[in-house]
Amino acid sequence: MQCIRRQPKRSVSEENILREQSRRVAELNGTRLGLKDDKDLKFLLKGSQLLKVKSGSWRKERFYKLQEDCKTIWQESKKMLRSPESQIFSIEDIRDVRSGHKTEGMEKYAKDVPEYRCFSIIFKDQRKNLDLIASSEDDANHWISGLGKIIAHSNSMNQKQKLQHWIHTCLRKADKNKDNKMSLKELKNFLKEVNIEVDDYHAKKIFQHCDKSKTEALEDDEIEEFYKILTERKEIDKIFQKYSDAEGFMSCQNLVRFLYETQQEEDAVVAAPALIQKYEPNERAKRGNAMTKDGFLMYLLSDDGNIFNSSHRKVYQDMTQPLSHYLVSSSHNTYLMEDQLTGPSSTEAYIRALTKGCRCVELDCWDGPNSEPVIYHGYTLTSKILFSDVIKAIKNYAFKTSPYPVIISLENHCSVDQQKVMAQHMTTILQDMLLVAPVDGNRSQFPSPEQLKGKILVKGKKLSRQEDPTGTNGNNNLEAEDVSDEDEAAEIEDESVKTEIQQKGKSDTLKLAKELSDTVVYCKSVHFNGFEDPSHPRAFYEMSSFTESKALKLAQESGNSFVHHNIRHLSRIYPAGWRTDSSNYNPVDLWNVGCQIVALNFQTAGTEMDVYQGRFQDNGFSGYVLKPEFLRDEQTKFNPKSITEGTWGTKKKLLLKIISGQQLPKVNKSKNSIVDPKVTVEIHGVQQDNNKKQTKVIENNGFNPKWDEEFTFDIEIPALALVRFVVEDFDMSTKNDFIGQYTLPFTSLKQGYRHIHLLTKNGDPYSSSTLFVYIDIQDCD
């Protein structure tokens, strides 16, 4: 039996002092967030009872409270021996707060409660949603509004403010006896908390330097002095000194010189005064049109100092070209939250994919009870969800992240009657969003993403005698007929699935209802019978789906033919049947031949998904990226397997210096565990460009490791290359642990001294974990 150590009981006066200290800390943190005296924040800090909903029979009262750091929520738990850490979750982990019955759980289990008392907390990772019921509308509004404000204000804090907030939170955590002083022992604990191992000699040296009062404890100004030593950025001081005067000011003229010479900013003359006004905290310097070291650091940590070109955060590409000229962010078996065989299906998976910029979602449709079609992975034990619920989720979230068209990829296994229900649901729920006729009478080529803004297209089978889905040669009297059945689920390499298929007896054809056929306009699914004969061209709206292996074989053996095919037609690629664990394939090889709808399992983190999100953060995160000219030109000779036979843009040399890291997160949450970080730089592109190089390992320092290592990469085809920075915790005996990564297109790289803001394995940003690098791009001779 585990013994529970009792804490010594405090006196009433001690409790009052601690309560007052806690109140002051909360007030200070609220002020840092810009929420001083906010009534919602005060309510959250006080806390309230909420009903936690897990199922129809599990609905229990729990107490929830915002901690004094204004960053974490404490939740009461009735579980025996539950660790204190498991009762806390960070507001940084919250993706969304939804009012009413806006999750599957609330829809199923809380319909008896008025919507105005209900809300749900949606987390960034794969954690389950937290469905809650407040005792009144006012209480629910306090939670919804309060959490929304904290998230919004936290996101708008600059990097320096985030760092200050984090360090002060760690300092308070290390102050075990809550006397607002820091002993040498507490200082060592604090350093471990922020992920840095310092030997006793150095810890004592820092402590003695700051302990001006010689009291064997740091307090007030001494703690601030310690904070300054800890957050010193000598590598940035060195750059600043080169361009500043003896008084510590960088004149506007010198800032222009730095921006032009080092940062390669073409509009340096216009940018410099604006950057001073935007980032300089010192009013005297601002009035003198100059920048201090603090302002310079804030600029380098900002979006303007980011490695990713901030002008690419907006839609900047030509969006008026045919749909087939764009790469399209696409999801495979979108309904699945986990694996392909036994995992749950959920409308939440559609919401997550769409909010990540996905523009093509997949629906596997089967006959369900009560004449209502369901979606699940056929022949498997994955759970089922209603087709109508998925269409509602798509309607509500299709255009929250991007205004450009969404494609619903139907894999239809339903009876004719339930196909008619599917068509009716799409028509009545989606209404004007659903595209049911050609745009502007365009019957010779695809319309553009610009023309299709706000529209939802259906990809699926079409009745053969309705030869032209865009409106000509159609036989409108046909009610239903047999069409070939494309059954991707039948390709799963699993014995139980194969047995299920044998028992059910699978037909190669399916009777298709006219009503469902009519919803298909520009994306008619057809079997691929080889690349077309130029003398008998296929209709532009006919598109095929390929397994990754089939597509890779075509790319390898007929690269140029595949490129030409993808200029006029859409191609959809999906993972191989053996990927029952929902693993992913490398999308880059298929993008290199112009395949547009390269569908990945969005629920599975890893290198492939990192590269995918890196590609689609370009062009304003719109889900559409214009292919390079040589993948759109009808006369192109481009073949990624033999790139010597033409000119595909100017070859580049990438000179890269990994300088330092800042506030890398702990991977192992053990108190004494400190990371040993190393950085790997990867190039993903055509085969000749694929490369990786790595730094040395820095032992026991995740807080401010210094590498100062230079690498050179030759890039043959910059338009197809992506650069991935990966930080790992080195382990000699086992596989290295992932710390963070950042991937971006080569063409979105900014030059000069830049910060890389690292992402978690799920693609969400860390609040203050960065790499500091130097980038120089040169044309090759």
Side-chain angles (χ1 to χ4, degrees):
M1 182 178 167
Q2 186 174 333
C3 294
I4 299 172
R5 191 175 161 195
R6 292 186 180 275
Q7 294 293 325
K9 197 171 180 184
R10 298 188 183 98
S11 67
V12 174
S13 62
E14 284 175 327
E15 286 289 349
N16 288 337
I17 289 167
L18 281 174
R19 203 173 287 118
E20 177 57 23
Q21 282 179 358
S22 179
R23 187 195 65 76
R24 282 204 303 267
V25 170
E27 193 176 297
L28 176 65
N29 286 323
T31 303
R32 283 194 183 119
L33 281 170
L35 294 172
K36 187 180 180 184
D37 297 328
D38 182 86
K39 66 179 194 308
D40 293 322
L41 185 71
K42 284 182 176 178
F43 179 88
L44 267 58
L45 286 163
K46 189 178 171 186
S48 75
Q49 296 285 353
L50 296 167
L51 278 175
K52 183 177 179 180
V53 181
K54 278 191 176 179
S55 69
S57 58
W58 200 104
R59 189 185 286 184
K60 296 184 180 177
E61 197 169 72
R62 296 286 184 262
F63 188 76
Y64 289 82
K65 178 185 181 298
L66 178 67
Q67 303 275 80
E68 64 194 30
D69 61 3
C70 296
K71 284 175 64 176
T72 49
I73 301 282
W74 180 83
Q75 52 186 338
E76 177 189 15
S77 174
K78 303 289 186 185
K79 288 182 182 174
M80 288 291 289
L81 303 178
R82 187 167 176 179
S83 68
E85 290 79 18
S86 66
Q87 290 181 251
I88 290 170
F89 63 86
S90 171
I91 285 178
E92 285 176 7
D93 294 337
I94 298 175
R95 184 180 300 286
D96 193 15
V97 182
R98 295 185 201 149
S99 60
H101 303 146
K102 299 272 175 45
T103 63
E104 282 179 328
M106 282 302 201
E107 275 282 335
K108 282 183 188 172
Y109 311 127
K111 276 293 194 182
D112 59 313
V113 182
E115 282 208 75
Y116 56 73
R117 282 176 50 203
C118 301
F119 67 98
S120 301
I121 293 173
I122 317 300
F123 294 100
K124 288 177 179 174
D125 50 26
Q126 302 298 324
R127 223 181 318 181
K128 288 181 180 174
N129 300 336
L130 183 56
D131 293 323
L132 300 165
I133 300 171
S135 58
S136 69
E137 183 177 4
D138 280 351
D139 281 11
N141 287 339
H142 278 309
W143 277 102
I144 295 162
S145 177
L147 289 173
K149 285 179 197 172
I150 296 169
I151 292 166
H153 283 74
S154 296
N155 290 342
S156 65
M157 287 169 84
N158 63 44
Q159 288 297 119
K160 195 173 179 186
Q161 289 170 321
K162 285 179 183 176
L163 173 60
Q164 190 178 27
H165 194 168
W166 176 64
I167 284 183
H168 280 279
T169 301
C170 292
L171 280 167
R172 183 147 177 83
K173 202 170 174 182
D175 182 12
K176 296 295 182 190
N177 61 2
K178 305 300 178 200
D179 62 355
N180 284 336
K181 297 176 184 177
M182 186 177 284
S183 65
L184 178 57
K185 185 182 177 185
E186 287 173 333
L187 179 135
K188 287 186 200 169
N189 286 336
F190 165 78
L191 290 170
K192 285 179 182 173
E193 190 68 41
V194 298
N195 211 0
I196 183 168
E197 182 78 67
V198 177
D199 61 45
D200 287 354
Y201 171 77
H202 282 101
K204 195 166 185 178
K205 195 173 171 186
I206 295 169
F207 186 83
Q208 287 172 344
H209 173 82
C210 298
D211 184 19
K212 309 289 186 197
S213 59
K214 307 296 179 192
T215 56
E216 296 295 314
L218 306 185
E219 50 188 313
D220 300 330
D221 291 346
E222 294 170 339
I223 290 176
E224 287 303 314
E225 175 69 16
F226 170 65
Y227 167 80
K228 281 177 186 169
I229 290 170
L230 198 64
T231 57
E232 204 171 26
R233 296 284 302 273
K234 288 180 179 173
E235 71 274 34
I236 288 177
D237 293 352
K238 193 173 167 185
I239 303 162
F240 182 78
Q241 282 164 10
K242 187 179 171 185
Y243 292 91
S244 61
D245 59 26
E247 289 184 38
F249 291 104
M250 184 189 287
S251 68
C252 186
Q253 188 178 353
N254 279 350
L255 179 56
V256 168
R257 196 159 59 87
F258 169 75
L259 293 173
Y260 188 74
E261 293 173 357
T262 306
Q263 305 294 80
Q264 304 289 306
E265 300 282 9
E266 292 175 8
D267 61 345
V269 175
V270 176
L275 292 175
I276 290 168
Q277 291 305 309
K278 195 171 179 181
Y279 299 114
E280 180 49 57
N282 183 311
E283 287 301 322
R284 181 187 152 207
K286 200 185 275 189
R287 282 194 302 273
N289 208 18
M291 200 174 245
T292 61
K293 190 166 68 177
D294 279 349
F296 187 63
L297 175 59
M298 285 173 77
Y299 149 65
L300 285 174
L301 282 166
S302 75
D303 213 32
D304 290 300
N306 199 311
I307 192 170
F308 183 79
N309 189 332
S310 60
S311 69
H312 291 189
R313 293 195 195 282
K314 302 189 286 284
V315 173
Y316 68 95
Q317 295 176 344
D318 177 5
M319 301 301 281
T320 64
Q321 303 218 17
L323 200 63
S324 55
H325 287 194
Y326 299 83
L327 306 181
V328 184
S329 179
S330 308
S331 159
H332 170 248
N333 287 355
T334 314
Y335 48 89
L336 293 177
M337 298 285 279
E338 295 170 11
D339 65 68
Q340 305 284 311
L341 297 175
T342 60
S345 304
S346 172
T347 56
E348 195 61 47
Y350 286 91
I351 295 169
R352 289 183 182 183
L354 289 166
T355 52
K356 281 186 175 179
C358 179
R359 298 289 84 191
C360 179
V361 293
E362 186 178 358
L363 285 68
D364 284 3
C365 310
W366 299 78
D367 279 359
N370 306 316
S371 300
E372 283 292 341
V374 293
I375 290 173
Y376 82 112
H377 206 192
Y379 318 112
T380 71
L381 299 175
T382 56
S383 63
K384 299 171 183 178
I385 50 178
L386 288 175
F387 177 83
S388 59
D389 285 346
V390 170
I391 298 300
K392 285 173 192 168
I394 292 171
K395 178 190 176 179
N396 291 332
Y397 289 89
F399 304 111
K400 283 189 182 292
T401 300
S402 166
Y404 293 101
V406 167
I407 300 169
I408 291 176
S409 179
L410 289 183
E411 189 174 308
N412 168 31
H413 305 276
C414 292
S415 62
V416 169
D417 285 345
Q418 293 213 13
Q419 288 176 43
K420 291 177 181 178
V421 175
M422 286 165 60
Q424 185 183 4
H425 281 323
M426 286 194 286
T427 306
T428 54
I429 294 168
L430 299 176
Q431 297 180 342
D432 290 347
M433 287 183 181
L434 184 66
L435 188 80
V436 292
V439 176
D440 298 335
N442 193 341
R443 294 193 168 97
S444 58
Q445 65 172 15
F446 281 110
S448 69
E450 190 64 35
Q451 290 173 295
L452 292 167
K453 261 185 175 177
K455 289 295 181 185
I456 294 174
L457 286 67
V458 176
K459 170 202 162 288
K461 288 289 181 179
K462 194 81 178 163
L463 293 174
S464 62
R465 275 177 279 171
Q466 282 186 311
E467 291 169 17
D468 182 355
T470 64
T472 58
N473 309 324
N475 180 346
N476 292 324
N477 298 318
L478 198 65
E479 288 302 318
E481 74 167 19
D482 287 340
V483 294
S484 63
D485 183 21
E486 291 183 1
D487 190 353
E488 291 172 19
E491 298 171 19
I492 294 177
E493 294 181 20
D494 179 80
E495 287 307 314
S496 60
V497 170
K498 289 175 182 174
T499 304
E500 180 81 5
I501 292 167
Q502 283 173 353
Q503 287 173 352
K504 287 191 174 180
K506 186 182 171 303
S507 169
D508 290 334
T509 61
L510 173 88
K511 200 166 279 297
L512 179 66
K514 175 183 178 295
E515 289 84 348
L516 191 60
S517 175
D518 285 345
T519 64
V520 177
V521 179
Y522 285 118
C523 301
K524 178 186 176 182
S525 295
V526 297
H527 185 70
F528 181 74
N529 291 314
F531 296 118
E532 67 190 20
D533 178 350
S535 59
H536 296 92
R538 273 169 46 184
F540 74 91
Y541 49 77
E542 292 185 345
M543 64 175 289
S544 301
S545 293
F546 307 85
T547 64
E548 59 176 280
S549 50
K550 169 77 171 172
L552 286 168
K553 189 169 186 285
L554 289 171
Q556 186 79 34
E557 296 175 0
S558 313
N560 185 248
S561 297
F562 212 171
V563 169
H564 275 275
H565 175 83
N566 289 325
I567 292 170
R568 196 155 175 268
H569 300 277
L570 291 172
S571 292
R572 175 177 166 271
I573 320 299
Y574 59 94
W578 58 265
R579 294 187 184 275
T580 54
D581 60 349
S582 294
S583 61
N584 281 313
Y585 56 97
N586 177 11
V588 179
D589 293 333
L590 287 317
W591 289 333
N592 290 349
V593 288
C595 294
Q596 304 89 348
I597 301 176
V598 180
L600 293 197
N601 293 304
F602 268 48
Q603 72 273 33
T604 306
T607 303
E608 297 82 10
M609 203 60 213
D610 292 344
V611 168
Y612 206 85
Q613 291 297 86
R615 170 56 74 199
F616 285 105
Q617 73 166 312
D618 194 9
N619 201 32
F621 201 52
S622 63
Y624 285 85
V625 172
L626 185 64
K627 294 193 276 189
E629 174 63 31
F630 55 79
L631 290 179
R632 294 180 278 125
D633 176 10
E634 305 238 346
Q635 308 305 316
T636 187
K637 293 188 168 68
F638 180 73
N639 182 347
K641 295 300 170 189
S642 55
I643 60 171
T644 51
E645 296 173 21
T647 304
W648 322 113
T650 308
K651 296 177 186 177
K652 302 286 183 181
K653 187 178 285 291
L654 172 62
L655 304 167
L656 176 64
K657 185 176 186 181
I658 306 290
I659 301 170
S660 60
Q662 293 76 40
Q663 293 88 60
L664 303 178
K666 279 190 173 193
V667 179
N668 183 335
K669 296 299 179 187
S670 159
K671 182 182 171 184
N672 294 313
S673 171
I674 309 294
V675 302
D676 304 322
K678 70 162 192 168
V679 181
T680 304
V681 183
E682 303 169 352
I683 306 295
H684 298 261
V686 294
Q687 197 169 337
Q688 288 90 328
D689 288 342
N690 291 338
N691 201 348
K692 68 161 70 172
K693 295 179 182 180
Q694 58 191 38
T695 65
K696 60 181 178 286
V697 176
I698 303 292
E699 293 187 358
N700 291 327
N701 187 352
F703 184 74
N704 55 2
K706 306 276 191 302
W707 287 280
D708 282 323
E709 290 190 57
E710 295 181 1
F711 305 110
T712 303
F713 296 92
D714 290 323
I715 312 291
E716 294 280 338
I717 306 186
L720 297 178
L722 295 107
V723 187
R724 182 171 183 252
F725 298 85
V726 194
V727 187
E728 293 176 307
D729 180 12
F730 176 74
D731 195 313
M732 196 174 289
S733 56
T734 61
K735 188 183 173 194
N736 296 339
D737 288 319
F738 174 90
I739 293 176
Q741 69 84 32
Y742 188 78
T743 308
L744 74 166
F746 180 86
T747 51
S748 294
L749 279 171
K750 291 289 278 185
Q751 298 190 66
Y753 290 101
R754 302 286 170 179
H755 277 97
I756 299 170
H757 295 260
L758 295 172
L759 305 177
T760 66
K761 68 176 181 181
N762 291 310
D764 298 304
Y766 283 114
S767 63
S768 52
S769 299
T770 53
L771 292 178
F772 187 51
V773 300
Y774 177 77
I775 307 277
D776 184 29
I777 299 170
Q778 299 171 0
D779 292 347
C780 287
D781 297 333

